[in-house]
Amino acid sequence: MVDYKDYYKILGVPKTATDKEVKAAFRKLARKHHPDVNKGDPKAEAKFKEINEANEVLSDPEKRKRYDHLGSDWASYGRTAGGPRPGRGGGVRVEYGGDDVSGFSDFFKTIFGGGAGGFGGGAGPFGGGGQEGFEEMFGRPAGPPPGQDLETTVDLTLDEVLRGTTRTVQIGEGRDARKVEVRIPPGVRDGSRVRAAGEGVGRSGGPRGHLYLRVRVLPHPTFERRGDDLAVSVAVPLTTAVLGGEVTVPTLDGPLGIKVPPGSRPGRVFRLRNHGLPKLEGGGRGDILATLGVELPGADLTPRERELFEELRKLGR
């Protein structure tokens, strides 16, 4: 029997949590356990996958409703469910450095059928499904039946979105298994579908359907994506904001220095053109949007620092 997973406990939210609270909890934990922050730490990677799975369910109204309805009946459900059932297209695995990064547990697959974007069967395009449905509707045999499209979800980091990447998908099992390497172009967005034409499943000698990879872009510990732009916060000392100076802004290509004019107020946005993400259409790149923050001195001022601030206060500043 597959062990029950408490997704609310994993994200640290109550069962009454709103969508906003679920999202906030996920973003906080994702930043903490992100692979880019914990490189080479298998425990952090496992925790990150667990957090993603919990968010996959609790952020989706239909999945959350089904999960909540299951509730305490999981024990009886697990005994009769018989585990995940592959669809007619056979099993599909997305590989990332030799590991399955779709990250979905047997518990998830038992409830939702094979993982996010799983390859379960379904009715064909002619109502009854495939060859039989065609003959039922038109009263005559059809040609080779159309192939079956397959779809799965793949996780990408912002670095992979910047440069483009590949994913290897295994289709089928046993002697019929084959691997398909799919090139994912730079600049893809969350929810995009990348198609590998003719790499799905064929039936009775007919042409294969297509293979689709649905992209899920992982949250980044530093940047927030806004279309093709990347937003980042940059803090400077109070003296730099008042008198001007230089500050280093992080980008996916490496840090860049910019000049901060005297009298810059907190919240001012500096635009670093062509340092964002690639544009899928039209070429070029988006921008970095650096929002200025000001670091205020702490309570442990030196006597000289306190004296200077007292003089400013006397001047009405």
Side-chain angles (χ1 to χ4, degrees):
M1 178 175 165
V2 178
D3 291 335
Y4 177 81
K5 283 187 174 287
D6 189 337
Y7 292 134
Y8 291 100
K9 185 177 180 180
I10 290 171
L11 290 186
V13 297
K15 290 187 176 181
T16 55
T18 63
D19 292 342
K20 185 177 181 180
E21 290 170 334
V22 168
K23 181 179 179 181
F26 167 68
R27 290 181 65 87
K28 180 179 179 181
L29 291 172
R31 289 192 183 99
K32 180 179 178 181
H33 299 283
H34 196 282
D36 288 348
V37 178
N38 304 274
K39 292 183 178 179
D41 186 346
K43 291 184 178 180
E45 181 180 353
K47 183 66 176 178
F48 188 72
K49 291 180 180 181
E50 188 177 50
I51 294 165
N52 269 326
E53 180 173 316
N55 182 65
E56 177 76 21
V57 174
L58 300 187
S59 65
D60 184 308
E62 291 301 319
K63 285 191 179 76
R64 184 173 180 178
K65 182 179 179 181
R66 185 171 181 179
Y67 173 74
D68 288 343
H69 180 71
L70 181 66
S72 59
D73 292 334
W74 166 247
S76 59
Y77 177 86
R79 284 193 294 270
T80 59
R85 298 168 182 160
R88 287 178 288 177
V92 175
R93 183 173 68 254
V94 178
E95 298 177 355
Y96 181 87
D99 295 326
D100 183 354
V101 295
S102 54
F104 295 102
S105 65
D106 288 341
F107 172 76
F108 181 99
K109 295 174 184 176
T110 301
I111 301 175
F112 302 108
F119 300 161
F126 302 117
Q131 182 87 4
E132 297 84 357
F134 188 101
E135 294 180 6
E136 178 183 340
M137 290 186 68
F138 296 100
R140 58 184 175 85
Q148 178 184 353
D149 290 343
L150 305 179
E151 181 175 320
T152 190
T153 300
V154 294
D155 293 340
L156 268 62
T157 65
L158 275 184
D159 288 300
E160 290 177 315
V161 173
L162 172 65
R163 297 173 176 85
T165 187
T166 60
R167 287 292 186 272
T168 300
V169 178
Q170 180 171 302
I171 299 177
E173 296 176 346
R175 289 184 302 175
D176 295 329
R178 58 188 173 89
K179 291 186 177 181
V180 178
E181 186 175 84
V182 182
R183 174 68 183 171
I184 301 174
V188 291
R189 300 201 178 181
D190 195 69
S192 299
R193 290 203 313 171
V194 179
R195 187 181 76 164
E199 295 293 357
V201 172
R203 296 172 179 168
S204 304
R208 291 174 181 166
H210 305 311
L211 170 63
Y212 292 93
L213 302 189
R214 184 174 293 277
V215 173
R216 180 170 53 194
V217 181
L218 299 174
H220 194 277
T222 303
F223 301 102
E224 178 185 346
R225 184 174 187 175
R226 297 178 184 174
D228 299 318
D229 297 334
L230 294 175
V232 63
S233 297
V234 179
V236 299
L238 176 61
T239 50
T240 301
V242 174
L243 302 176
E246 285 199 1
V247 63
T248 299
V249 177
T251 79
L252 290 176
D253 301 306
L256 287 176
I258 63 170
K259 291 184 177 181
V260 177
S264 295
R265 296 182 177 275
R268 179 171 179 174
V269 177
F270 295 85
R271 183 180 294 270
L272 283 68
R273 298 194 179 278
N274 299 315
H275 287 284
L277 295 172
K279 298 179 180 179
L280 274 175
E281 298 179 359
R285 292 174 60 172
D287 306 326
I288 291 285
L289 306 176
T291 301
L292 190 69
V294 176
E295 297 174 344
L296 296 177
D300 55 342
L301 294 173
T302 66
R304 177 55 179 160
E305 288 172 337
R306 183 172 295 278
E307 180 182 347
L308 292 172
F309 276 104
E310 288 290 352
E311 290 182 17
L312 288 174
R313 180 158 62 179
K314 291 177 182 178
L315 294 172
R317 307 302 296 265

